[in-house]
Every structure is written in C-alpha cells, then in structure tokens.
C-alpha cells in the first residue's frame, strides 16, 4: 500500500460546535476545519478538512465547578495539516470562553485560519451560546475560502477508476442552529445554511465526460432550512467510556429561500460507547446520508469524511446515498500511552437500496498519548487501509 496519504483530524471543543451544526457546507466545512467543526455541509472534496482546528480544553474547562460566573479563558493552538486533498500547511484556532448570565456552560467565540502549500486557505468565525440553564443552545458561523482539490466524479465506478482532475472551489457560507431541550439528553430545533459556491476546472475538456460537473453547478447558491436534533448521554466528551451520542439533520434547499435549485439532503450519525474493563472501551459508529436528485455535486454524500471510515481519500467516492459502520477497540497500555484497533464497512450509490453494490471496507490501528490528564485529551496517529488505498491520520482527540 502506498504511504502517500496523510491527514490531520482534530475533533475537540470548538470542534464540538461542528458536530452540532450538521451539514453546512463542505468547503465551508473547511471553516470548521479552520475554525471549529459542524458536521458536514455541502459535501465536497474539502469536507474532510472540516474537522481540523479545535481547542482541547474548551468544554472540559467549562465544567470546572470552581469557576466564577464571569470567568474568562482564552485558548489558541497552531495545528499542522497534511492531506493529499488540500496539501500540507497549518491551521490556527483561537477561542474565548466565558460565562454569560446564569449559564453553567461557557459561551464560546472562536476564529480559525487554514493555509496549505497548494495555496488553499480558509477563514471562519463561530459563536456558541447556552441560554436558560442549557435549555436553549445556539450556534452561528460565517466563513469563506479557496481550495485547490481533485475531483473524481460521482458514483462507485468513478471512485474505482481513481482518475481525477484538479479544480478550484471558492466558497462563502453562513450557518445558524437553534436547539431546545425537549427531554433529558435530547435537543431538537432548526438549522439554516447559506452557501455561495464557485468552481473552476483546470483541465477542460477532462479525460472522461463525467469528470465535468454540469455548468449550472459551477457557479451556484444553496440556501437551505431544516430540522436538526441531538441526543447526548456520554459520560465524557473526550475519554468517553459509556453512553450514546447521536445527531440528525434534514435540510431543504429552496428557491423561495434564495437557492438556485430545489433539493433536500439529510444525514444521521450515532456513536455508542461501552466500558469493557478499567483499561478498555469498545466504541461503535453508524452513519447514513441521502441527497436529492437535484443536489449539486458538492452537496451530495462524501465517503470517508467526518470520521466515517478511515483509509479513503475524501471525495474519491461520492454519490447521492451513503452508509457506513465501524467498531473501535480502545485500550490504555502503560503510563500515558494507549492504542486502538478499528474496522468498518460501508458503501455509496444513487439510492440507499443500492449502496450494498459498492463494498468499501476499511481497517487499521493507532497509538495514543494522553497529552492532558486534566482534561483527558489524547493525541495520536492512526494508519488505515481501504479498498485500494491507505492513509496516516494525525489527530487530537478520537475519530468519533
């Protein structure tokens, strides 16, 4: 297997914002790469980058009962980035945490910037607020950037062909989400996403006709509103040993909202955690994504992104439906060191009924080091093997 694919994954605190924002925009996903993290957006090849750039001590610090109502904390972190999709470079994230009103959880104001040697860049701002004793959760984000990436086409056959063309995507986005607590651990509400996307092809005509997206999708606007929900019974956000974490979102893009086309897109994910003994945890994850027939190529389902199976280049396999499932065994070994082994399988297709036609397995192993005993945050490296590919992943926090 070639050792030429490297990725940096960083799901932590400001990053927890991404997991709550659902599909927002994938080049904007960079914004969560670059700023925090929401859960996916208009799934384009840059989507996988959305998980880079968070700050490890945000949420845990917020739970420190010794803090006074208006305590203020500031955290900043430079992060190396190496990924065949956008190249090598760095991301820088910074966040202010502070108590507002009677909230026990801290409000977060964050900013992040990303730049790589392919001249890809992104900038994002994010605001997160807890209101009314955490009965209402509000998140807002705005960002933009330019990404130089590869486009493989749509469908399992295009992914298997492993032929791509270079494209440039320029995007600006705005996102907002409001969730209300409707039951213990359960939140539900609305989510809005605005995405202005421009795509340029650097090989025209391409070697295969399906490598050229429709002209109408090269310059387009998506404005979508929909339902969002979250269930969280985890015992800890970073070294989770029990509980469930599930998210779901259904967005409808409509011309009445200012969109260029009408289509819908939905995705759902669920993570489970079970302690086996004092040193071992078994974690599992399942995910599903569907996109309407009129969804543009950058807003369909992207395999190998957002922690949904390591070992695949994000964007090589994309279609209008996707499912993925994986299991991971985590064990503390000695001192601050630990290890993980993982395996999973999934598929893509034009509809959920056909995803089984594209069998995409993956598996691998990784090492962990507990960088912060106080907050239980690990850093580590994973090596994963996919169907015809392999990749290293450098990360802060776990894959899911």
């Amino acid at each position: 297997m070639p050792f030429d694919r490297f990725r940096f994954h960083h799901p932590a605190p400001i990053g927890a914002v991404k997991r709550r924002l659902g599909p927002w925009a994938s080049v904007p996903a960079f914004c969560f790469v670059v700023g925090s993290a929401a859960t996916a957006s208009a799934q384009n090849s840059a989507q996988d980058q959305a998980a880079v750039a968070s700050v490890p001590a945000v949420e845990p610090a917020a739970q420190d009962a010794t803090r006074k109502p208006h305590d203020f904390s500031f955290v900043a972190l430079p992060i190396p980035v190496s990924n065949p999709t956008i190249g090598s470079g760095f991301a820088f994230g910074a966040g202010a945490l502070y108590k507002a009103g009677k909230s026990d959880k801290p409000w977060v104001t964050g900013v992040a910037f990303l730049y790589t040697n392919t001249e890809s860049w992104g900038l994002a701002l994010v605001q997160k607020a807890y209101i009314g004793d955490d009965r209402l959760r509000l998140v807002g984000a705005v960002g933009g950037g330019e990404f130089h990436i590869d486009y493989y086409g749509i469908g399992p056959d295009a992914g298997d062909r492993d032929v791509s063309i270079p494209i440039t995507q320029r995007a600006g986005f705005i996102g907002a989400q409001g969730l209300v607590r409707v039951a213990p651990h359960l939140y539900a509400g609305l989510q809005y996403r605005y995405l202005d996307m421009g795509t340029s092809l650097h090989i025209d005509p391409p070697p295969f006709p399906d490598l050229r997206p429709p002209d109408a999708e090269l310059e387009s606007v998506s404005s979508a509103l929909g339902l969002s929900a979250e269930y969280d019974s985890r015992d800890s956000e970073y070294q989770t040993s029990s509980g469930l974490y599930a998210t779901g979102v259904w967005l409808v893009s409509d011309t009445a909202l200012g969109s260029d086309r009408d289509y819908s897109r939905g995705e759902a994910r669920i993570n489970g955690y079970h302690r086996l003994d004092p040193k071992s945890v078994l974690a599992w994850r399942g995910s599903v994504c569907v996109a309407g027939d009129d969804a543009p190529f950058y807003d369909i389902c992207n395999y190998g992104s957002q922690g949904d199976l390591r070992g695949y280049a994000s964007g090589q396999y994309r279609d209008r439906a996707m499912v993925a499932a994986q299991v991971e065994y985590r064990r503390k070994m000695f001192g601050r060191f630990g290890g993980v082994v993982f395996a999973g399988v999934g598929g893509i297709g034009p509809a959920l009924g056909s995803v089984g036609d594209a069998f995409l397995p993956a598996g691998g192993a990784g090492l962990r080091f507990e960088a912060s005993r106080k907050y239980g945050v690990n850093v580590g490296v994973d090596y994963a093997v996919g169907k015809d590919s392999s990749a290293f992943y450098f990360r802060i926090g776990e894959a899911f």
Side-chain angles (χ1 to χ4, degrees):
M1 294 291 178
F3 290 84
D4 59 347
R5 291 185 176 175
F6 295 84
R7 302 178 188 167
F8 193 93
H9 186 64
H10 190 308
I14 296 183
V17 176
K18 177 178 182 279
R19 292 191 292 273
R20 292 193 176 97
L21 289 186
W24 275 22
S26 71
V27 162
F30 82 77
C31 292
F32 286 122
V33 171
V34 171
S36 72
T39 327
S41 343
Q43 311 252 353
N44 65 30
S45 332
Q47 183 177 40
D48 194 31
Q49 287 25 281
V52 180
S54 320
V55 187
V58 175
E59 301 268 31
Q63 298 170 1
D64 186 347
T66 64
R67 290 193 168 193
K68 297 180 180 180
H70 299 287
D71 279 355
F72 178 90
S73 295
F74 180 81
V75 287
L77 185 68
I79 303 164
V81 175
S82 183
N83 190 299
T85 304
I86 58 171
S88 300
F90 72 94
F92 178 81
L97 294 88
Y98 49 93
K99 297 287 187 69
K102 298 180 180 180
S103 173
D104 289 331
K105 290 180 176 288
W107 291 30
V108 180
T109 301
V111 60
F113 177 75
L114 168 74
Y115 185 83
T116 74
N117 61 352
T118 64
E119 298 184 353
S120 297
W121 65 271
L123 177 67
L125 302 174
V126 62
Q127 176 66 51
K128 181 177 179 181
Y130 299 93
I131 299 173
D133 194 26
D134 198 23
R135 292 186 182 89
L136 175 63
R137 295 180 175 184
L138 301 177
V139 183
V142 60
E146 179 176 292
F147 292 87
H148 303 274
I149 59 179
D150 292 327
Y151 178 64
Y152 292 83
I154 296 174
D157 291 340
D160 289 341
R161 183 177 58 200
D162 197 17
V163 175
S164 63
I165 63 169
I167 65 174
T168 296
Q169 291 190 307
R170 295 167 299 278
F173 90 104
I174 300 172
Q177 182 191 65
L179 296 178
V180 177
R181 188 169 63 214
V182 296
H185 308 298
L186 179 62
Y187 292 79
L190 297 176
Q191 181 170 300
Y192 174 76
R193 184 203 66 188
Y194 175 88
L195 173 61
D196 188 342
M197 178 75 77
T199 302
S200 300
L201 308 182
H202 299 298
I203 296 179
D204 199 6
F208 296 95
D210 63 322
L211 285 176
R212 192 183 201 288
D215 288 342
E217 298 179 15
L218 298 180
E219 299 287 340
S220 66
V221 170
S222 174
S223 180
L225 178 68
L227 302 175
S228 182
E230 173 183 311
Y231 179 86
D232 190 355
S233 64
R234 294 172 295 176
D235 60 341
S236 169
E237 185 170 356
Y238 304 109
Q239 288 197 353
T240 313
S241 62
S242 65
L244 295 173
Y245 180 66
T247 61
V249 63
W250 183 264
L251 292 178
V252 177
S253 181
D254 197 284
T255 53
L257 299 172
S259 185
D260 288 343
R261 59 182 60 212
D262 298 339
Y263 67 93
S264 60
R265 185 182 187 283
E267 60 180 35
R269 292 178 173 84
I270 181 169
N271 303 339
Y273 308 89
H274 309 274
R275 179 167 293 285
L276 303 179
D277 58 54
K279 291 188 175 183
S280 303
V281 171
L282 184 68
W284 55 268
R285 176 181 177 88
S287 61
V288 60
C289 169
V290 292
D293 291 340
D294 290 331
F297 76 97
Y298 57 80
D299 205 9
I300 58 178
C301 305
N302 203 358
Y303 196 77
S305 65
Q306 303 177 64
D308 293 327
L309 294 192
R310 286 150 280 181
Y312 290 88
S314 178
Q316 181 170 350
Y317 289 93
R318 71 174 76 199
D319 213 326
R320 303 191 183 280
M322 181 204 77
V323 296
Q326 61 181 306
V327 62
E328 180 171 285
Y329 175 74
R330 303 170 180 173
R331 183 171 179 83
K332 291 185 177 180
M333 296 188 294
F334 57 88
R336 294 191 177 191
F337 288 92
V340 303
V341 292
F342 50 88
V345 67
I348 62 169
L352 284 176
S354 60
V355 295
D357 297 338
F359 185 70
L360 299 173
L367 294 175
R368 296 291 183 269
F369 178 77
E370 189 177 27
S372 172
R373 285 180 170 171
K374 181 177 181 180
Y375 300 116
V377 177
N378 289 332
V379 298
V381 58
D382 295 340
Y383 176 68
V385 178
K387 182 179 178 180
D388 294 304
S389 60
S390 62
F392 278 103
Y393 296 76
F394 299 93
R395 65 175 67 260
I396 298 176
E398 301 298 341
F400 58 90

